[in-house]
Amino acid sequence: MKDRTYTADAAPGDHATVAGWVHEIRDLGGIAFLIVRDTTGKIQVKLEKDEMDEELVETGLDVSRESVIKVVGDVKEEPRAPTGVEVVPESIEVIAAAETQLPLDPSGKVDAELPTRLNNRTLDLRRDEAKAIFEIRAEVLRAVREAFRDFHATEINTPKIVATGTEGGTELFPITYFGEEAFMNQSPQLFKQLMVGSGLERVFEIGPIFRAEEHNTPRHLNEATSIDFESAFFDHTEAMDVCEAVVKAAYEAVEENCEGQLEALDLADEFEAPSGEFPRLTYEEAIQRINATGELDEQLVWGDDLPTEGEHALGQDVGEHYFITDWPSEIKPFYIKDHDDDETLSTGFDMMHPRMELVSGGQREHRYQRLIEGFEQQGLDPDAFDYYTKMFKYGMPPHAGWGLGAERLVMTMLDLDNIREAVLFPRDRQRLSP
Ligand code: ATP
Ligand code: MG
């Protein structure tokens, strides 16, 4: 619509065409108001029953809420209008009428449960709060891309249909690929590693990962978006530096550019980008601190994975983003390198928000022989990963990287209760459509 003016741009004195959804109809007797909403906001359209064309007034009064209309008229100053201006219409056209029974109330006056909202995402995203989450998510991804470019990383896209998974078959979705078994990829791990040995050296990818995890939790999806980074000639500490900078850049961009969205989410006052350095705790310190909180029934010992309640207790104790480093080698994946001076210690790290894990990373095993042994110890057939391991014979530099869940980043940043709030169309145990 070439001559369309966004409601936010309509200024007194304009002769304007506004188009959008009927948010509200207020009939006060001799006068009535239509509130028209578009992506930028809302504007009042005035209907004076005795003074305006009868047909025009009738069209305006008969239209159902959430119908799409086009209004042409003069924009006038009106201090009593919600935005200080109103449109005095010459014409009102109903472009797409909405049924009067809606599955969801987009004005937000009637609350809806999450499943109802997800089943009707289109209507749900007419609400400012829901829309704000996805505008912020877009800003996060924009800022993350820019931060990676500042680090001279090249954006890549790796295949999502693969012959073999990263860490074996347990969490993979199988598919049929021209009569052969294939899988949806659970991580770009192996492919991004292959790129550090290419001429690109330093890469990032923002793309889907597929996890056939059976559990149904507020922080797991079966299709998630992973923000991945990998760099040649990096050790785990350098990878952590980039991780911290990228997460901070996302927060800072939202703080700077998403004021209206934060207001819509009622977060404007409390939102704060992390400023100090993220503390780096070793795994040993982490289990000691968890044990000291007394929150767990049983004390953690060396080699235990951190249970969810332990992560919560530690998160409360630390109170900000932090890293856990120096994990026992046996509980980190085989492709993560051990410390050169102590092979019981892994260079793997996790970056945590007080509420949950956001990132896993580490320095990778780049020595061919060690890598093959790792596959065997894991019970995986190295031959199945030949496309990957082979490249380690032709000059693979030391390298490190990490993966960050985009939805978990948005979820924790905006204090959302459920990760599904941060995905347009979530995939989980119960949900394959829409
Ligand atoms: P968790 O232990 O919390 O299930 P993970 O250790 O299995 O996570 P990784 O394989 O380390 O996850 O993936 C790196 C990051 O990707 C995680 O820290 C998380 O932010 C994100 N991620 C992984 N799996 C999921 C999932 N099922 N849903 C949403 N995000 C995920
Ligand atoms: Mg992890």
Side-chain angles (χ1 to χ4, degrees):
M1 201 176 284
K2 281 203 195 91
D3 51 358
R4 177 178 178 219
T5 301
Y6 280 127
T7 58
D9 299 334
D14 289 353
H15 181 75
T17 300
V18 296
W21 291 259
V22 177
H23 184 69
E24 209 183 323
I25 303 159
R26 281 208 299 254
D27 193 343
L28 308 176
I31 196 165
F33 298 106
L34 284 184
I35 309 297
V36 178
R37 184 189 66 237
D38 67 14
T39 192
T40 67
K42 300 180 191 85
I43 201 162
Q44 170 171 308
V45 178
K46 180 168 71 182
L47 299 171
E48 287 174 302
K49 293 182 190 169
D50 295 336
E51 282 162 50
M52 290 180 179
D53 175 73
E54 221 171 282
E55 216 181 295
L56 175 112
V57 171
E58 211 166 284
T59 309
L61 289 178
D62 284 352
V63 69
S64 52
R65 284 177 50 210
E66 297 304 319
S67 294
V68 178
I69 64 170
K70 172 179 154 181
V71 180
V72 181
D74 287 327
V75 184
K76 299 254 164 80
E77 209 174 284
E78 175 47 74
R80 287 166 295 179
T83 59
V85 296
E86 68 180 7
V87 181
V88 180
E90 308 164 2
S91 75
I92 298 176
E93 184 191 335
V94 179
I95 296 175
E99 287 187 7
T100 49
Q101 289 290 334
L102 299 171
L104 186 88
D105 173 22
S107 76
K109 285 187 187 122
V110 186
D111 276 343
E113 299 289 331
L114 187 59
T116 308
R117 291 178 40 212
L118 294 175
N119 288 341
N120 300 280
R121 255 314 199 190
T122 309
L123 300 188
D124 183 42
L125 292 188
R126 292 182 190 172
R127 298 184 313 116
D128 287 340
E129 296 87 341
K131 180 167 83 110
I133 294 171
F134 292 93
E135 288 169 342
I136 289 173
R137 181 184 159 122
E139 178 62 16
V140 163
L141 295 182
R142 189 202 62 74
V144 162
R145 281 200 164 86
E146 197 172 296
F148 280 131
R149 291 211 185 93
D150 291 344
F151 282 110
H152 305 289
T154 303
E155 182 161 10
I156 58 168
N157 302 99
T158 61
K160 304 306 156 204
I161 302 175
V162 295
T164 48
T166 312
E167 290 163 52
T170 52
E171 293 182 344
L172 294 168
F173 285 113
I175 59 164
T176 304
Y177 190 74
F178 301 115
E180 267 182 65
E181 184 176 55
F183 303 93
M184 303 303 293
N185 206 3
Q186 77 204 112
S187 159
Q189 182 65 34
L190 306 184
F191 293 104
K192 68 176 178 174
Q193 282 190 261
L194 289 177
M195 287 304 100
V196 306
S198 80
L200 295 176
E201 285 196 25
R202 185 173 298 168
V203 296
F204 75 95
E205 174 165 9
I206 301 174
I209 55 170
F210 303 90
R211 306 263 166 126
E213 291 161 341
E214 301 253 333
H215 50 246
N216 217 348
T217 80
R219 62 196 166 89
H220 287 96
L221 296 160
N222 293 110
E223 177 175 357
T225 307
S226 183
I227 299 168
D228 270 272
F229 172 79
E230 201 71 27
S231 177
F233 304 105
F234 256 32
D235 66 16
H236 61 296
T237 64
E238 291 165 299
M240 285 192 275
D241 291 343
V242 172
C243 175
E244 183 169 335
V246 165
V247 169
K248 283 179 175 165
Y251 268 87
E252 281 157 16
V254 170
E255 189 170 45
E256 217 171 286
N257 304 323
C258 298
E259 212 178 313
Q261 287 82 0
L262 290 172
E263 249 163 54
L265 291 163
D266 225 3
L267 291 174
D269 294 335
E270 64 201 73
F271 191 86
E272 217 179 318
S275 50
E277 257 182 47
F278 295 177
R280 296 183 183 187
L281 278 62
T282 63
Y283 166 88
E284 188 157 22
E285 288 164 341
I287 56 171
Q288 278 167 6
R289 279 177 76 159
I290 294 171
N291 287 339
T293 64
E295 292 286 327
L296 298 191
D297 296 339
E298 263 184 66
Q299 298 273 295
L300 294 173
V301 296
W302 180 263
D304 285 344
D305 218 336
L306 302 188
T308 308
E309 318 85 75
E311 281 181 8
H312 285 163
L314 184 58
Q316 294 256 311
D317 194 25
V318 180
E320 56 182 320
H321 289 87
Y322 63 101
F323 288 97
I324 305 176
T325 66
D326 301 286
W327 291 73
S329 298
E330 70 255 31
I331 55 174
K332 280 290 170 191
F334 67 89
Y335 52 78
I336 297 194
K337 197 168 171 292
D338 299 332
H339 282 278
D340 287 329
D341 53 1
D342 184 350
E343 298 208 335
T344 65
L345 277 186
S346 164
T347 64
F349 62 84
D350 282 2
M351 198 276 280
M352 313 291 293
H353 178 275
R355 287 176 66 195
M356 70 189 77
E357 176 193 318
L358 297 185
V359 174
S360 282
Q363 187 177 337
R364 317 307 186 182
E365 182 54 74
H366 69 284
R367 297 162 297 185
Y368 177 77
Q369 209 47 49
R370 294 293 189 97
L371 194 62
I372 296 292
E373 286 162 20
F375 273 102
E376 282 162 353
Q377 277 162 17
Q378 196 77 13
L380 296 169
D381 175 12
D383 289 346
F385 295 87
D386 187 48
Y387 71 94
Y388 166 75
T389 53
K390 198 165 68 182
M391 293 302 143
F392 286 68
K393 293 195 282 191
Y394 308 135
M396 187 60 79
H399 58 281
W402 43 264
L404 158 66
E407 290 82 13
R408 287 203 190 167
L409 177 60
V410 172
M411 174 190 187
T412 51
M413 179 183 274
L414 302 180
D415 204 20
L416 307 173
D417 291 337
N418 195 314
I419 196 166
R420 291 159 184 77
E421 297 269 7
V423 199
L424 286 176
F425 299 104
R427 291 289 171 259
D428 63 29
R429 281 303 297 283
Q430 275 82 41
R431 195 166 280 280
L432 185 55
S433 174

